[in-house]
Amino acid sequence: MPSKSPISGGRRIQTRRSGVHGNGVFAVQDIAEGETLIEYKGEIISWKEALRRHPHDPTQPQHTFYFHVDDDRVIDGNVDGNAARWINHSCEPNCEADEQKGRVFIKALRNIAAGEELNYDYGLIIDEPYTRKLLSEFPCWCGSTDCRGTLLAPKDDDAAKKKKKKKKAKKVEKKAQKQADKKSGKADKKKSAKAEKSDKR
């Protein structure tokens, strides 16, 4: 079962126009961290059927209401869906999607103030190389300081490469610092040797 039920009754979220993209879902009252806000509803279909139905809107081929459950199932929020399908993506989300036995619940990652727009990281991954063109087909407008600029999540191998690069850069930095310290130590030794000589005179 989803954790933490609402603290107070009444309407807590509302769909309206978003400054991020199209429609969005907003908190109508303060929401506590960990609260389950809504279930992502829709028709549960196979990936084969999802591909047959794609795209929902030919003018926006990358915009769908699909929610990937597992390798076999997809929730099509465009059929029998609810307000959850309008929740926008953010690279710095205040919500998360929690999958439980084939059902998906949107939960608050932190306290959310009334008036704030709800968002979660879509975490989209495509099984093809992330070219500049592909990334541009999935633009992100979340406005976060940590914005990736795309709805696509880094692949594990990309993340590993970045980590390796960072590690290598740190190693080089450490080596350079060591050499600088060594040089500085040698210079200090020379200074003290000169000072000793002058003292002996």
Side-chain angles (χ1 to χ4, degrees):
M1 282 300 291
S3 65
K4 286 194 190 176
S5 52
I7 288 168
S8 56
R11 196 176 190 186
R12 295 177 302 145
I13 60 175
Q14 181 185 62
T15 303
R16 53 178 187 251
R17 294 299 292 170
S18 165
V20 175
H21 178 256
N23 290 322
V25 179
F26 294 78
V28 175
Q29 56 178 265
D30 292 347
I31 291 163
E33 179 185 340
E35 267 192 56
T36 297
L37 305 174
I38 192 169
E39 181 179 356
Y40 194 102
K41 289 199 170 174
E43 186 185 1
I44 295 172
I45 58 173
S46 66
W47 273 105
K48 191 178 177 182
E49 176 59 16
L51 290 170
R52 190 192 68 77
R53 292 182 186 184
H54 183 77
H56 284 137
D57 177 0
T59 63
Q60 297 182 74
Q62 310 306 355
H63 182 258
T64 73
F65 294 111
Y66 292 146
F67 200 109
H68 166 227
V69 178
D70 53 37
D71 291 343
D72 303 313
R73 294 170 297 171
V74 180
I75 299 171
D76 185 355
N78 202 40
V79 179
D80 301 327
N82 59 0
R85 65 184 168 157
W86 300 116
I87 299 176
N88 280 313
H89 161 92
S90 176
C91 299
E92 197 178 348
N94 54 21
C95 293
E96 65 178 344
D98 182 26
E99 189 268 321
Q100 297 178 27
K101 295 178 182 173
R103 296 170 71 187
V104 175
F105 299 91
I106 308 300
K107 290 162 58 175
L109 275 174
R110 59 167 174 80
N111 292 337
I112 300 168
E116 267 191 81
E117 182 171 0
L118 308 183
N119 45 59
Y120 61 92
D121 189 334
Y122 287 0
L124 298 179
I125 291 179
I126 292 180
D127 293 330
E128 56 183 272
Y130 282 6
T131 61
R132 197 172 287 183
K133 183 183 180 298
L134 182 67
L135 293 171
S136 71
E137 286 173 11
F138 295 86
C140 176
W141 300 292
C142 73
S144 153
T145 49
D146 294 326
C147 183
R148 299 190 293 263
T150 178
L151 303 181
L152 299 177
K155 293 182 186 177
D156 289 341
D157 55 342
D158 288 345
K161 276 179 194 172
K162 277 184 185 176
K163 208 173 181 183
K164 207 174 179 183
K165 231 177 182 182
K166 216 175 182 183
K167 210 174 178 182
K168 199 176 179 183
K170 267 192 174 177
K171 218 174 182 182
V172 169
E173 204 178 298
K174 220 174 180 182
K175 201 175 179 183
Q177 186 62 52
K178 219 175 183 181
Q179 284 176 338
D181 291 346
K182 217 174 184 182
K183 277 183 183 176
S184 158
K186 276 182 184 175
D188 288 345
K189 271 183 186 175
K190 276 183 183 177
K191 274 183 190 174
S192 61
K194 275 184 182 178
E196 274 180 36
K197 265 187 180 179
S198 61
D199 286 347
K200 280 177 185 174
R201 282 177 192 170

